[in-house]
Amino acid sequence: QKVDSLALLNSFNHIWMECWLEKGYVLENENDPSDRYLITDAKDQKIGTIEFKPYYLGLQSHINTVFPFHEIEDLVANPRSVVEIDKVAILKEFRGKNLDRLLSVFVHYSEKHEISYCVVLLERLFFKALKNVYKIPMSAVGEKVYYKGDYVIPAIIYPKEIYRNKENYSWILNSHQ
């Protein structure tokens, strides 16, 4: 569900902030333009969030101050097909069985916007789950970095490989589920 009202924005902020506080992360409040989505479960409860931010090859993309993504050749050559992913969160009591819903939103968004690269800072266990369980095509592009209360892995995800080969990813839900 796309966040396109103040009420939905309040739900979005409530969910990711609750998850950040639970993990002991530092909260940041940004009002940069981005596409925010609420993840709903089978009962239509709001259970998670994901945010897609425009990516810039400079320090106006804060993520570049944490890791120099802007020096990676593929991104420099194709800046318009890159987004930054942030605010990936699922409320504690809904984790596990709902990750396919969150990842499906990511796949559908990437396909609709013809995204080839996603830059992201991933918590280590989440990185391993995406790579080993969900077989997400991705690469760690640097050593772990301490950021906002935890070690994160700077990574690039290659969504085009997923949306062009959906039959290989049985966890993808159609966009109406």
Side-chain angles (χ1 to χ4, degrees):
Q1 183 179 18
K2 187 164 174 40
V3 173
D4 56 9
S5 70
L6 193 56
L8 291 175
L9 182 61
N10 286 338
S11 295
F12 177 92
N13 287 333
H14 172 78
I15 291 171
W16 77 259
M17 285 179 174
E18 185 173 317
C19 294
W20 257 233
L21 290 169
E22 171 214 329
K23 292 186 172 279
Y25 298 165
V26 175
L27 297 178
E28 83 262 337
N29 221 346
E30 313 157 340
N31 291 316
D32 296 336
S34 67
D35 289 330
R36 299 174 180 94
Y37 287 83
L38 281 160
I39 312 304
T40 52
D41 68 3
K43 295 177 184 159
D44 219 32
Q45 298 179 90
K46 297 174 182 71
I47 54 118
T49 60
I50 187 169
E51 179 179 45
F52 303 93
K53 298 176 172 178
Y55 176 75
Y56 304 102
L57 290 168
L59 299 183
Q60 70 262 48
S61 275
H62 177 73
I63 196 168
N64 292 330
T65 66
V66 182
F67 180 83
F69 286 100
H70 57 294
E71 294 173 6
I72 294 172
E73 242 171 77
D74 285 345
L75 306 187
V76 173
N78 306 283
R80 290 179 177 211
S81 60
V82 184
V83 292
E84 177 186 343
I85 296 180
D86 198 6
K87 311 276 189 314
V88 173
I90 295 178
L91 291 169
K92 194 174 189 176
E93 60 271 30
F94 298 102
R95 283 189 200 137
K97 58 192 177 297
N98 287 296
L99 189 51
D100 53 352
R101 292 178 174 277
L102 188 148
L103 293 174
S104 295
V105 170
F106 149 73
V107 172
H108 297 306
Y109 180 92
S110 298
E111 182 172 31
K112 182 181 173 189
H113 296 276
E114 299 179 342
I115 301 300
S116 302
Y117 307 95
C118 300
V119 297
V120 64
L121 301 170
L122 290 171
E123 185 224 6
R124 291 170 296 174
L125 289 174
F126 191 46
F127 178 91
K128 284 183 179 153
L130 294 181
K131 200 166 177 68
N132 301 332
V133 179
Y134 288 87
K135 306 295 183 215
I136 301 281
M138 58 197 282
S139 53
V141 290
E143 295 296 312
K144 65 181 193 232
V145 183
Y146 193 76
Y147 181 63
K148 291 189 180 170
D150 197 3
Y151 284 98
V152 291
I153 296 174
I156 298 177
I157 301 174
Y158 308 99
K160 193 186 280 187
E161 291 180 34
I162 306 174
Y163 62 72
R164 286 193 170 164
N165 302 288
K166 286 185 189 157
E167 65 283 358
N168 298 338
Y169 300 91
S170 59
W171 47 260
I172 297 177
L173 303 170
N174 70 44
S175 48
H176 308 297
Q177 272 176 293

